[in-house]
Each structure stands twice: as structure tokens, then as C-alpha cells.
Amino acid sequence: MLAMNYRGPQRIRLDRNKPMPEILHPQDAIVRVTRACICGSDLHLYNGNVPDTRVGETFGHEFIGVVEEIGSDVHKLKVGDQVIVPFNIACGECTFCKQELYGNCHEANPQATAVGGIFGYSHMAGGYNGGQAEYVRVPYANVGPMVIPSGMHPDDAVMLTDVVPTGYQAAEMGGIQKGDTVAVFGAGPVGIMAAKCAWLFGAGRVIVFDQEEYRLDFVRNYAQCEAYNFRSIEDPVVFMKKQTDSLGADVCIDAVGAEAAGSKFQTITGRKTLMQAGSATALQWAINSAKKGGIVSVVGVYGPTGNMIPIGNALNKGLTIRGNQASVKRLLPKMIEHVQSGVLNPKALITHHFPLEEVADAYRIFSDKLDNCIKPVLIPPSARM
Amino acid sequence: MENRPVDYNLINGWGIDADPKNDPTYPMRKRSADDHEGYSWNRPQQQPIDVEVLHSIERPNVTAVFGTSKPPSGLSGKLRRHAFKYGEGSFAHWIPLIVADRVDVVEGIIDDIKSGSFPNIWKERGMNAQWKYDKAGLLKSLAIGAAITTAAVMLIKNKSRD
């Protein structure tokens, strides 16, 4: 089958002879992929910043598809079902899944305990092949996958696998109360969605920072928020204080993670030399921009090693810091409701559709922010017939 | 504070998920007494372990399911096995993994050549797309690459003369 194949930092190719996935566990399903996104988090893998990313792996944790085969213990799906597959692999039985912390399942990732199992996200997240392929093995098929409601556009459905719930959970973890000022660092797809969802919790003001003008234009239009280029202001933290009567934002959201720009020191130590677990610039700005007693919500992905973050400031300001991988299964029903009622329109973020065969070019365009790309989707040949 | 009146009526869905109880500066937990019993749930059936699976020493076993995308092999595999002797909070765990990733890249190129194909770096790096949308950027990075390579070659040549 065709599948994306990682060969090293910024080197990927289309593998034409990847072995077909097999049922390895009674609760497995095999899904024929019809849409797979490239996620901003995939770029951390693409750039070689995530430890234990092995040559030959297939990325892709945002995908939808058709159930082709089911294991002997799968009873909630049947062959032919069109499904949304959450990016988290979750057993539904462990103590964390029972708390609806599906992103923290303890029975899906042998290699690490801090992170759960994720499709196509290195061996640090379980060593699973991902969905940027024609077919993919989906473990615990009774738990995660959900049948796509009739009438839902596949571009909307694929965005529910990660982007929409992650943006929503970013706002939710911020505990936004009516009238709050919310600062979002990063206007990638998740930052855009976080800004949009901040309003659903009753934000009074939403301010977004990024360095790409086309993304700032996009988020202004899509999320009805204020948006600023941090390259054109002296210091985002000082700017935020000035915007909030010297107090700071009630809620700050880091929607960037390990590859943040904006600080040469962080770039060199976090991105270029991997001396820390990614460049923590956005997190620094979030902590320092928050009001005393405020909340910092982190959905930007960082590596497992240490980071230079201003924990002293967090302590002195009495901040609450929350972060997690989105619990997609918990949020899916609500997200579907919001899409169906027109409150959220996720497919509007998809700017590019690529044939799977052009995966290397698609990564380059997304990674280098070429052609005003916000969100790219890959479509395998079998889904184009 | 700057006065910025917002007409919330213009924002589709404003406040529909507002919940004053969702304030994480107060404890927000969804747990039962059973959750304090530790590693006590009924584990799903174990996936047959017929490939080498490295597991964190912070857990007692291999998880009930796991990925089989690329079992450890070669020198990179040795480094990875060494890394998994240490806990997840230790640099002794992560640094060998990062080194192993780089070794793995070289092993991948050797494997390609052994199988009779030299990797098409231009295509793998998506340079066709960059040429189409960012010629200037591509030419700049090629020029920088060429300058660094030339400098390195000159340095090596000079050293060999000494």
C-alpha cells in the first residue's frame, strides 16, 4: 500500500510497498483512510525534534476512513462504517480512561508513561503507524472511533480528530469566565480554533499573536478577534500589559509548543541544538502575560526533557497552569453538535488538498508556510475514485 | 483599561458553554475512591509480543496494545535499548534516543543504497514545492549550504597539508 515514510529530519517520501496493516489484537480494526491531515505537531517530528522517531515510520494522527476489517472482539463498529478516529489510542478501562482522560491512557504506550498512545507519533507515543497512508491499524476500536453523522462533510469530520477538540480544550482548560480577556499565542489551526472557542465560554476579549500576516488575517476573520504580529511590537508581554490596564490577561493559551519563534536564545537552545525540550518562547510569553491568579493553558506540544520556563514568575503570580493532549472521545459529541448547529465551521481552515502521492511537497508547503497554507489534507488514491 | 465594547450578539454561539464551575483555580476532579487502588483495573487482553518492544522502567509491563512500526535494530537499536535502562525523567534516557535517531538516519541511507536505490534528497525534502512557491528562499539555503560545504572542504584540505 501507499504510505508516508519518514527518512530523517525534513526528509520524507512516499512508500509504495508498505506492508498492509494486520489485526494484531481482538479489539483492532483496519481502516481505509479517506482523509488525513498534516498537523502542526507533525512538524516537530518532521524536523527531528521528537526523540525516538524512527526511520521508516508513517506519521499521521488526524484521519478518517472506512472500516475494512474488524477483530473478533469489536462490537461497536461494523465493516463499511465511516469513522472519525480520535488521535489518542485509549483502552477505556484503565483508571485514567475512567476519568475521561483518554489522552492519558495507561494501556496504549509501553515506551512512556507521561504520554498516552498516539497514531503516527514516534515510539515515544507508542510506535504506531499513522494515517498518512491508504490503510491503518486502529487499536481499541470499541472505544475511540465514532461513526460520522450522515450529512457531515468529510473535511469537517477530519478536523474533529484533533484540531477542533484541541482548540476547544485549550479554551476549556483556561476555565474562561464571562468577560475574561484571553490571549492566544500562535495562529496555527489549533490557535485559530482556540480563539474561536474562547468566545463559546464567554470571553470578553480575545487577542492572538503570530508572526505570519496571512495567518493573522485569517484568524481575525474566522475568530472575530484582535490579532497582532509580534514582530511588529516591541515585546508581546509589555504589549499585553498595556492592553489590560497593566494587569495582564485572565487566561493565556500556548498554542505553539516546541518550535516557537521570537527568541534567538530559545531558538538556538530549543530548536537547533535540542538542549531543551523545544523552544519555550510562547510558554514564557503566556506565563509572563497572565494576570496574577490567572490561568495558563498549554496545548502546544513539548518534548520530554527539561525546558527553561519562568516557573518563579508562575509561583509569584499564583498562576494555575494546565496542559494536556485533548481528550477527543470525551469532547466529540459536543464538537459534532457545534458543527451541526453551525457554531463551528472547521472545514474553513482547510486551505490545501493534496494527493497522498505529493506528501513530501505538502509537508514542505505547510512547514515553510508557503502559498498561505493554514491546514493541508492528504487524500489517498483509493478515496479519490 | 482601554474600552472595547463587543457586541456579543454578532458572535455565533457566544457563551453557550459558559460554566462558572469550570474554573480550574479551584479543584476540579472527576475521581472515585476506586481510583486510589493503583494499578488495579481489568487489563484488556495482551497483544502478542512477537516483536521486540522496549518499555519504560516506570511501568511494570508492556501495555495491552502497542505499535509495531519499527522495532529496534542495528546500532541505533543498541542505543535505544541502552536508553530504556533509565527512567523517563533522566537525560540518560533521552540523549541516547536523540543520538539513536541520527544514527538511524545514516542506517536508513545505507539500507537504501544496499537495496539498489540512492535517496532522492531533492524530492524527499519537497524542494519542488519550495521552488514553485519560494525560489528566493531555496536559492538562499542552497547558497548557504554550498558556502558551508566549501569552507569545510577547504578546512579539511588545509589540515591534511599540515
Side-chain angles (χ1 to χ4, degrees), chain A residues 93-96 106, chain B residues 32-42:
Chain A
E93 297 291 328
C94 71
T95 191
F96 305 110
H106 213 61
Chain B
S32 71
D34 297 342
D35 296 327
H36 300 291
E37 290 179 11
Y39 203 96
S40 57
W41 57 88
N42 292 324

Side-chain angles (χ1 to χ4, degrees), chain B residues 102-154:
Chain B
R102 303 301 175 254
V103 171
D104 200 6
V105 172
V106 178
E107 289 175 332
I109 293 172
I110 293 169
D111 286 346
D112 277 347
I113 295 170
K114 273 187 187 166
S115 66
S117 65
F118 197 84
N120 183 342
I121 304 288
W122 177 272
K123 200 172 174 188
E124 287 180 353
R125 293 178 68 87
M127 292 294 110
N128 286 336
Q130 199 172 10
W131 180 250
K132 185 174 178 186
Y133 295 108
D134 182 26
K135 281 191 181 67
L138 179 58
L139 291 171
K140 190 179 159 191
S141 19
L142 287 174
I144 292 169
I148 291 171
T149 309
T150 309
V153 169
M154 298 284 281

Side-chain angles (χ1 to χ4, degrees), chain A residues 263-380:
Chain A
S263 158
K264 285 190 175 64
F265 178 76
Q266 289 278 347
T267 299
I268 290 166
T269 57
R271 291 166 66 190
K272 303 296 181 190
T273 60
L274 300 182
M275 288 167 65
Q276 54 170 334
S279 155
T281 311
L283 187 51
Q284 291 239 0
W285 287 346
I287 288 172
N288 291 333
S289 299
K291 185 188 276 184
K292 291 172 190 175
I295 297 157
V296 174
S297 168
V298 187
V299 289
V301 173
Y302 292 92
T305 47
N307 271 86
M308 283 182 267
I309 57 169
I311 195 67
N313 290 358
L315 163 77
N316 288 328
K317 292 168 75 171
L319 300 183
T320 298
I321 302 178
R322 301 180 77 193
N324 207 350
Q325 302 283 353
S327 181
V328 178
K329 178 183 164 63
R330 174 176 67 84
L331 293 169
L332 260 182
K334 183 169 272 190
M335 298 302 97
I336 287 170
E337 191 184 312
H338 283 336
V339 171
Q340 289 181 325
S341 65
V343 166
L344 296 175
N345 175 19
K347 69 174 182 295
L349 271 68
I350 296 176
T351 50
H352 289 67
H353 292 81
F354 294 100
L356 177 61
E357 296 91 318
E358 293 176 17
V359 63
D361 285 350
Y363 265 86
R364 173 59 57 195
I365 288 168
F366 188 44
S367 170
D368 285 10
K369 302 176 180 65
L370 304 175
D371 197 30
N372 290 347
C373 183
I374 298 284
K375 186 73 176 172
V377 169
L378 300 165
I379 305 180

Side-chain angles (χ1 to χ4, degrees), chain B residues 51-143:
Chain B
V51 294
E52 183 180 0
V53 185
L54 301 173
H55 77 84
S56 167
I57 61 169
E58 295 179 25
R59 55 173 301 119
N61 49 25
V62 170
T63 49
V65 305
F66 52 86
T68 55
S69 63
K70 183 75 191 313
S73 64
L75 176 60
S76 61
K78 283 185 182 168
L79 288 163
R80 294 189 206 285
R81 287 182 201 109
H82 174 76
F84 275 84
K85 291 177 184 167
Y86 300 93
E88 291 168 53
S90 166
F91 277 95
H93 179 68
W94 296 111
I95 289 173
L97 287 177
I98 291 168
V99 174
D101 289 348
R102 303 301 175 254
V103 171
D104 200 6
V105 172
V106 178
E107 289 175 332
I109 293 172
I110 293 169
D111 286 346
D112 277 347
I113 295 170
K114 273 187 187 166
S115 66
S117 65
F118 197 84
N120 183 342
I121 304 288
W122 177 272
K123 200 172 174 188
E124 287 180 353
R125 293 178 68 87
M127 292 294 110
N128 286 336
Q130 199 172 10
W131 180 250
K132 185 174 178 186
Y133 295 108
D134 182 26
K135 281 191 181 67
L138 179 58
L139 291 171
K140 190 179 159 191
S141 19
L142 287 174

